[in-house]
Amino acid sequence: MNAPALIDTHCHLDFESYDGDRPAVLFRAREAGVIAVVNPAVDLVSSAAVCQLAASEPLIFGAVGIHPNNSADFAVAHVDELRALARQLRVVAIGEIGLDYYRDRSPRQTQRRALEAQLELAAALALPVILHNREATADVLAILRDWIGGLPANHPLLGRPGVLHSFSGTVDDAAQAVALGFYIGITGPITFKNADMLRRVAAALPDDRLLIETDAPFLTPHPHRGERNEPAYVRLVADRIAGVRLSTYEAVAAQTTRNAVRLFALPVPG
Ligand SMILES: [Zn+2]
């Protein structure tokens, strides 16, 4: 029997940690039932690399964007470069973008400027956004609320504006994001011993807002913690979610695949 279809909505297969064995990683993903992965970029160079990877590998869809940790030298001209890259066929989102007050590698004011400019680009192109947030929840939600509030009533992103990737907030934070139409991405930490808050979030989310991700090569789920992560392990995230939602692996796989297909308008069955 075939494994239930899964979509890893966040992984970084363009990173050099896969240069030695990318085909094997993709093979194992397919064996695990993964029918698509979304590979966000972190800067202009990786945006171009992701486009190339997505064009050459049918499993991979790309996103282009500048990560907050790489936004210190952000300039408006960068948005033009992203716009040109985003026109490529297999680019399905703008990301990853957001705010990171934990690492604080770029001035916060610059991070916010880069985020707002890329949200504007996403709205202009009607591409959903992939959001990174570390210790900046209040500012992220405020900026997203303004952005959504400024979209015209018939804008195609209303109801599917994007995903809060690798969510690490509270049940209430998640509810606020869902009220704005966002999806919530759950990663490997849900399998960790001390992740009760994340499990409560995963249990409370509406069916139609839930996404599964690996964030590979990072955040490797139990029992592979400490090793490099890869998209095949997204099944461990789905399995743990099934446990906390008192559901089945098959049901979580089917629902999250459907959600990913809808959010990113993926040309795969879902
Ligand atoms: Zn990421």
Side-chain angles (χ1 to χ4, degrees):
M1 206 186 92
N2 286 337
L6 300 165
I7 296 179
D8 180 359
T9 55
H10 196 115
C11 62
H12 298 278
L13 294 181
D14 59 306
F15 282 15
E16 64 179 12
S17 48
Y18 300 105
D19 283 354
D21 65 344
R22 201 167 282 110
V25 168
L26 289 164
F27 178 81
R28 288 194 293 273
R30 288 190 170 93
E31 291 279 285
V34 175
I35 59 166
V37 309
V38 177
N39 192 134
V42 295
D43 57 19
L44 287 176
V45 172
S46 78
S47 292
V50 164
C51 286
Q52 224 171 19
L53 193 58
S56 65
E57 171 48 60
L59 203 67
I60 301 177
F61 294 88
V64 299
I66 298 169
H67 190 287
N69 290 339
N70 302 321
S71 65
D73 65 346
F74 177 77
V76 179
H78 297 165
V79 175
D80 296 327
E81 292 189 49
L82 291 176
R83 185 180 289 111
L85 288 167
R87 287 212 185 91
Q88 311 219 11
L89 209 51
R90 291 171 60 83
V91 171
V92 297
I94 299 297
E96 60 186 281
I97 61 177
L99 301 177
D100 193 322
Y101 294 170
Y102 173 73
R103 293 201 198 273
D104 238 344
R105 283 203 200 130
S106 318
R108 293 181 180 189
Q109 187 63 37
T110 313
Q111 291 189 35
R112 289 191 286 267
R113 210 158 52 82
L115 172 57
E116 285 167 346
Q118 294 179 93
L119 287 171
E120 223 173 280
L121 174 67
L125 300 174
L127 285 174
V129 292
I130 298 171
L131 289 152
H132 170 101
N133 165 32
R134 276 196 86 181
E135 299 188 4
T137 304
D139 281 5
V140 166
L141 286 173
I143 288 173
L144 293 179
R145 196 168 288 117
D146 282 353
W147 179 55
I148 299 284
L151 296 176
N154 58 352
H155 195 282
L157 288 184
L158 290 174
R160 50 176 284 274
V163 54
L164 269 65
H165 130 75
S166 194
F167 190 81
S168 62
T170 64
V171 170
D172 180 63
D173 296 334
Q176 289 187 52
V178 166
L180 293 172
F182 283 89
Y183 292 70
I184 304 291
I186 305 288
T187 40
I190 194 171
T191 66
F192 299 171
K193 232 191 201 139
N194 61 356
D196 288 333
M197 188 165 77
L198 184 55
R199 283 188 282 272
R200 276 200 296 278
V201 168
L205 282 175
D207 282 338
D208 66 350
R209 294 293 124 180
L210 188 63
L211 294 177
I212 51 174
E213 339 175 312
T214 58
D215 201 16
F218 313 113
L219 302 180
T220 313
H222 176 80
H224 299 286
R225 206 172 170 179
E227 303 166 23
R228 182 190 66 177
N229 201 357
E230 61 176 66
Y233 296 162
V234 80
R235 70 179 188 279
L236 299 167
V237 176
D239 188 55
R240 197 69 188 84
I241 290 175
V244 302
R245 290 174 73 84
L246 310 177
S247 182
T248 63
Y249 178 78
E250 289 74 15
V252 170
Q255 182 70 55
T256 55
T257 295
R258 206 154 44 230
N259 295 348
V261 166
R262 175 171 183 265
L263 173 59
F264 295 113
L266 300 176
V268 298

